[in-house]
Amino acid sequence: MRRVCLPKCKLAKVMCSIQTLLGGLVILVSITSLFRFYSAGFFMHDEDICKHFYGVRDSYTGFDMKALSDRVDEVLLKMASLQDKLELTVQQMEKDSKGDKAKLEYKKFLEDEVIQPLYSAHISLRQIRLPKVQETRNTTAVEDPLINSFVVEEIRKYITAKTNRVGKLNIYGTEKIYNTIGHACVLMKDELEEYMNYDIGSYCKDDWPLAQKLMIGGCDPLPRRRCLTRASKLYLKPYPINESLWKLPDGRNVRWANYQCRNFECLAAKNPKRGYTKCSGCFEMEKEKLKWMDNGTIPAGFRISDVLEAKPGEIRIGLDFGIGTGTFAARMKEKNVTIISTALNLGAPFNEMIALRGLLPLYVTLNQRLPFFDNTMDLIHTIGFLDGWIDLQLMDFILFDWDRILRPGGLLWVDRFFCKKTELDDFMYMFLQFRYKKHKWVIAPKSKDEVYLSALLEKTPRSL
């Protein structure tokens, strides 16, 4: 009997050990899964849990976003149709009631309890911005950041990305412009975290291209940082003001690490690999000296002297909104007019060049509300920046901001704006909608399909 029991006892012990081991593994896996689940739920909002486990791309896999969008459109059409039918019915009841108290009460019930709630639901549903599917169907879905967090339509219009009209990269090198209230930082979380990852009190990384990328992407204005800005080790005193306006600066005062050219002589040479495409020749001082002096050979060009004659003695301070090395501001300085020049470093050190000439650069994008108070500028000049690529609604916001800072009697100088002939009427309306007084208005051919528009307009006073 003992010989028979011994193997059975050993087998039972082995089986018990295996079951205990498996049970322990099951408990361990369960605890790990629960910990992962509850940690995700504790630290995240409910809608982020799916992304935590599966990632953004996987959370949309297999989900037909286009079909959902189509169904929502169908519901909106049905609601609109039902709204029209109910309103027609109420109008007919009002005609047929002829003092019938019951019909009038029923009509009021339809208006207050059916039509108005239906209209509110219709508007709310229309305001929901569904994610847009990119690449192929049923893959990544992307939505404008925080668009559904706002109800006021003007805010929603302002922060919605404005796609370029021509379908190509704009002067910034991007397909869209995000007007800023900080919401676009949601789309650039990794870049923003990289930008803010530094040792406090140490030297900042040479990462201004990252900062400019964030600004152009709509994450603007950028947060302040507590690190020390790098500068050239060989920084020299700039030239005296009587020399600096028309002399190429010393290249040792610029950090060249992020440019194709490594000195101003390279930028001024007729070199196709200078690294920038806009403002061709604007580092060539001999050519720059001729600008706005005698524009007889330039289509739709105005001379500075002719513009200042429109308001003699009244133009003291202004804004040059464009791209360049500050030549417009230099010419106006010779006329005792202070001009602030907006500039980005698009392939070349435009900001440094403007400052080294003894002029005022303003490092700002198209996205941002201008940092000037209302009715303070005598002149706004724009060239080479706002052209036919720009979305009309974006342009509308920009022009209203210019109107805000331009004082009554101030001048808006639109300098050789160009667009397709077929789109000229749209852009003309944009400039004329403010009903400014016309001093100059010239349209000239640029090419077979494009035209130049130059205008000098005066902001008229408005009653309170």
Side-chain angles (χ1 to χ4, degrees), residues 344-374:
L344 287 176
N345 284 14
L346 300 174
F350 289 100
N351 274 272
E352 292 96 320
M353 176 72 174
I354 294 170
L356 289 169
R357 293 178 74 177
L359 305 167
L360 293 173
L362 180 64
Y363 193 53
V364 67
T365 67
L366 269 180
N367 315 347
Q368 189 179 340
R369 185 180 190 266
L370 289 168
F372 304 114
F373 197 66
D374 307 352

Side-chain angles (χ1 to χ4, degrees), residues 49-66:
I49 295 176
C50 180
K51 295 179 182 180
H52 175 74
F53 285 111
Y54 303 109
V56 176
R57 179 179 293 274
D58 294 335
S59 64
Y60 288 105
T61 301
F63 189 85
D64 197 337
M65 189 60 66
K66 186 177 184 303

Side-chain angles (χ1 to χ4, degrees), residues 164 166 168-177 212 216 277-279 321-324 344-347 350 366 383-387 389-390:
N164 304 341
V166 296
K168 299 178 182 178
L169 296 180
N170 59 31
I171 190 173
Y172 285 152
T174 182
E175 296 176 351
K176 298 179 181 179
I177 295 291
Q212 186 164 284
I216 290 171
T277 55
K278 289 286 183 178
C279 192
F321 203 102
I323 182 170
L344 287 176
N345 284 14
L346 300 174
F350 289 100
L366 269 180
I383 185 170
F385 216 75
L386 296 186
D387 291 321
W389 64 267
I390 195 168

Side-chain angles (χ1 to χ4, degrees), residues 435-440 456-460:
R435 300 186 179 182
Y436 287 2
K437 176 183 175 181
K438 287 184 184 179
H439 286 281
K440 293 177 179 291
L456 185 64
L457 308 172
E458 179 182 339
K459 180 178 176 179
T460 53

